[in-house]
Amino acid sequence: MHFGAITLFGWISAATAIALPSYSNNIAKRQVAPTRIIHQFPDLTWVENIRIRQNGQFIVTLATAPEAYIIDPNIVSTNATSTSGVNLLHSFMPYNALLGITEVHPDQFFVVAGNFSVAIGDVGTGTYSIWSLDLRKYNPSSNTGIATKLISPFPNAGLLNGIDTLDASKNLIVIADSTKGYIWLLNVETGENRILLDLPELKPAPGSKISLGVNGLKVLHQGEIAYIYFSNDALSILARVPISLSTITQSGPVQILNNGTAIDDFALDPKNGVMYLAGQSTNTVLKLPLTGGSYETMANATSVLGPTDAAIGRTREQEGKVYVTTSGLLRTGGKVVEVDVGC
């Protein structure tokens, strides 16, 4: 989630005193990749996050309603606004919105629910909880067999945002707290939670009530080390920090991978050594090596107005494809867009 382009919030990223390395901030130019709209939601719908099931179906969350949808790309109509192949899985009323989503075990998803409100410009401090969205018994023909459960409330959190799985074997997920500048750790089996990371690189701009710090968050596993990749709106950085999976503690310094562009959420592609990022402030989908460097533009505002998240295709038919969600900047309905990155 990124507020910079939404004038309702009037949010402006502020400069900070944290020293940043001198990577080039130039976004490399190239012919944008082919794109295809999978589905477009009604006007004033902000599509916030996406995960892809093993069978290639998409699970998306909305920031303008507490709703999770399933989209079957093999059924959707050529008319992008048709509801064919699109079903509401669950409405998490009385919350206002859903944000991040992660899959810990096959078809066992977990979502952030809270009272974030675009309409009144309220980030919903103290209202967030993590819920399960269990699709192990899901029947697509009847859209039934969906189970939900409250896992843990977070009354001391600010704005819970991006989430990912840290260690599935231990049922651990990590959650970005954008307004307090923390990364929380949660055991989705027991509900036990604590602050895992409290670092300067995670913080929002000093003195601002609605500036966001840590925003998007994804985990890359390398043996006994898990790198938590994160974006920070206020600092306009993309960075990573290593976590020991044996001790569940920070095991090295923060590494700044790029700076100068505000990134919302993103997808890691370890097979190809790159990541794809939702540059909502620039209305672009960007490509970056996992080790950092300069961005390469893959798609622009023509097809991805207000990109919010990205996911790598999981089936053979989805090879070389990245799926991007958008807010439409609340000018048009948010979308799920296929970007053919060709690798």
Side-chain angles (χ1 to χ4, degrees):
M1 175 174 292
H2 170 80
F3 293 153
I6 307 297
T7 57
L8 175 64
F9 282 86
W11 173 81
I12 301 174
S13 293
T16 71
I18 293 177
L20 301 175
S22 57
Y23 283 122
S24 169
N25 293 329
N26 294 328
I27 296 175
K29 295 182 179 179
R30 60 156 278 172
Q31 183 177 349
V32 294
T35 61
R36 177 173 69 99
I37 299 172
I38 300 296
H39 180 68
Q40 181 169 7
F41 285 82
D43 287 352
L44 301 180
T45 302
W46 178 324
V47 188
E48 173 63 9
N49 257 202
I50 181 170
R51 289 287 171 157
I52 302 179
R53 299 178 73 197
Q54 295 177 99
N55 63 6
Q57 294 174 336
F58 310 139
I59 312 298
V60 300
T61 61
L62 304 188
T64 41
E67 296 173 350
Y69 283 81
I70 188 167
I71 301 173
D72 190 333
N74 297 315
I75 297 177
V76 292
S77 169
T78 53
N79 175 5
T81 58
S82 169
T83 58
S84 175
V86 180
N87 286 294
L88 173 66
L89 287 174
H90 190 74
S91 176
F92 288 82
M93 292 290 288
Y95 298 100
N96 291 339
L98 296 188
L99 286 87
I101 179 171
T102 188
E103 185 180 24
V104 175
H105 302 293
D107 275 342
Q108 289 183 272
F109 296 90
F110 296 85
V111 299
V112 173
N115 288 340
F116 167 77
S117 174
V118 173
I120 62 174
D122 184 2
V123 298
T125 299
T127 67
Y128 290 88
S129 296
I130 302 299
W131 285 72
S132 65
L133 179 65
D134 191 338
L135 302 183
R136 286 176 293 177
K137 297 181 179 179
Y138 179 65
N139 184 336
S141 58
S142 60
N143 196 41
T144 58
I146 304 146
T148 63
K149 178 184 176 182
L150 174 64
I151 300 301
S152 180
F154 278 77
N156 297 319
L159 167 59
L160 296 187
N161 201 338
I163 66 175
D164 202 9
T165 301
L166 179 68
D167 188 337
S169 69
K170 297 177 181 177
N171 297 303
L172 297 177
I173 69 172
V174 282
I175 312 159
D177 189 331
S178 295
T179 53
K180 293 197 173 182
Y182 303 146
I183 292 178
W184 293 84
L185 177 73
L186 170 66
N187 184 315
V188 296
E189 185 68 25
T190 66
E192 181 182 2
N193 64 77
R194 64 177 174 88
I195 295 171
L196 175 65
L197 296 172
D198 180 5
L199 302 168
E201 294 88 351
L202 302 174
K203 298 303 178 184
S208 174
K209 293 183 179 180
I210 52 177
S211 176
L212 302 188
V214 58
N215 188 339
L217 180 155
K218 292 294 188 296
V219 176
L220 176 68
H221 296 93
Q222 293 188 349
E224 288 300 310
I225 297 295
Y227 284 96
I228 299 178
Y229 284 71
F230 64 90
S231 60
N232 183 311
D233 269 13
L235 307 185
S236 293
I237 63 169
L238 186 75
R240 70 179 185 178
V241 58
I243 301 294
S244 166
L245 292 177
S246 59
T247 63
I248 312 299
T249 57
Q250 183 178 346
S251 61
V254 173
Q255 299 172 286
I256 306 298
L257 304 177
N258 198 290
N259 66 81
T261 301
I263 299 299
D264 194 339
D265 218 321
F266 49 91
L268 305 181
D269 183 4
K271 177 181 176 182
N272 294 296
V274 298
M275 60 187 108
Y276 296 95
L277 309 110
Q280 191 172 72
S281 63
T282 53
N283 293 308
T284 52
V285 174
L286 304 170
K287 178 181 176 181
L288 182 73
L290 288 174
T291 52
S294 295
Y295 298 123
E296 181 179 352
T297 302
M298 305 303 292
N300 58 31
T302 304
S303 54
V304 289
L305 186 64
T308 55
D309 194 15
I312 306 297
R314 295 183 67 177
T315 67
R316 178 173 295 181
E317 293 75 20
Q318 293 172 346
E319 286 184 7
K321 309 292 196 307
V322 174
Y323 296 90
V324 178
T325 51
T326 78
S327 68
L329 300 182
L330 298 181
R331 301 174 195 168
T332 64
K335 302 174 183 176
V336 177
V337 179
E338 178 185 87
V339 182
D340 187 348
V341 297
C343 65

